[in-house]
Amino acid sequence: MDTTRTALVTGGNRGIGLAICEGLAERGLDVVMASRNEDRGEGAAASIRGRGGSVRVEQLDVIETASIEACKERLDADDVTVDVLVNNAGVYPDADALEATIDQLDQAWTVNTRGPWLLAKAFVPDMLERGYGRVVNVSSGSGSFGEGLDTNHAAYSASKAALNALTMTLNDALPAGPDVKVNSMGPGWVHTRMGGEAAPRTPEEGADTALWLATLPEDGPSGGFFRDRERIPW
Ligand SMILES: NC(=O)c1ccc[n+]([C@@H]2O[C@H](COP(=O)([O-])OP(=O)(O)OC[C@H]3O[C@@H](n4cnc5c(N)ncnc54)[C@H](OP(=O)(O)O)[C@@H]3O)[C@@H](O)[C@H]2O)c1
């Protein structure tokens, strides 16, 4: 039986998401690179294909419910089953709780929390039916109560804390039996457009724990929050 797994990565066209796509392709998975702009996705996918990786680009804006539904329908029509979902796309509004505008609150919630939630609702039922699935929610230490929430980016930290709540509640909703796991991870401070030039970590270093969680063995953890492959506090 062909056990090649297929992984869908949101915001896969650049930054940590691209490093996750590259790492999954290197590990032999078929990658669905979800990009809100198809041309940017195709540009990024070319280098993976050049190294022999298998990658399909899908237009997906995680803000738009219809865009998520249309992506799922196209994959279903082509018999592409998603075994691994990496909710990576994110935005980082720069404002504290009093400064944050309604638009910033809506952006943070819809991209960082609502999008991953709708994608989990779209793909986890099929994973349960097939008996295998891995969901990785790319969160942040900024959303950790235990590490101290990032009060300078209040909408961001609240949306990532809510993403962690999704991880916990989704894990609790999984029935016993199928090998389906859901975890949150924080990549650390990573040199990307979001993280800025001063960040000490490369996108590859930031992607490592997501790649580990995306390919966990059956006895691996579920319902946890990790950085550098170690548990961190919620
Ligand atoms: N960098 C860090 O230090 C750091 C630290 C902790 C956590 N994180 C988390 O890591 C993840 C990736 O961050 P990054 O540093 O790689 O950020 P980035 O370089 O800014 O990339 C963000 C990605 O998300 C995509 N995106 C934004 N809005 C979207 C939407 N509505 N629909 C679909 N895609 C959308 C972007 O697409 P476009 O190219 O089309 O804009 C881009 O591919 C995020 O969830 C972030 O919160 C990052």
Side-chain angles (χ1 to χ4, degrees), residues 11-17 36 40 60-63 88-91 111 138-140 156 160 187-190 192-195:
N13 57 293
R14 65 181 163 96
I16 297 166
R36 67 176 154 171
R40 286 199 289 268
L60 177 62
D61 185 333
V62 301
I63 283 180
N88 164 80
V91 290
V111 178
V138 179
S139 183
S140 170
Y156 180 76
K160 293 294 190 182
W189 186 20
V190 181
T192 62
R193 208 175 296 172
M194 181 186 291

Side-chain angles (χ1 to χ4, degrees), residues 88-90 112-113 138-140 142-143 155-165:
N88 164 80
N112 297 351
T113 316
V138 179
S139 183
S140 170
S142 298
Y156 180 76
S157 53
S159 71
K160 293 294 190 182
L163 178 63
N164 287 345

Side-chain angles (χ1 to χ4, degrees), residues 13-35:
N13 57 293
R14 65 181 163 96
I16 297 166
L18 176 56
I20 293 171
C21 288
E22 290 168 342
L24 290 168
E26 279 165 17
R27 286 160 178 74
L29 282 81
D30 291 337
V31 173
V32 178
M33 177 190 283
S35 173

Side-chain angles (χ1 to χ4, degrees), residues 92 137-151 153 156-158 160-161 164 184-189 225-227 232-234:
Y92 186 55
N137 288 328
V138 179
S139 183
S140 170
S142 298
S144 162
F145 290 92
E147 293 193 345
L149 296 164
D150 176 0
T151 50
H153 301 89
Y156 180 76
S157 53
K160 293 294 190 182
N164 287 345
S184 278
M185 58 79 66
W189 186 20
F225 187 18
F226 297 88
R227 184 192 302 118
I232 56 174
W234 295 109

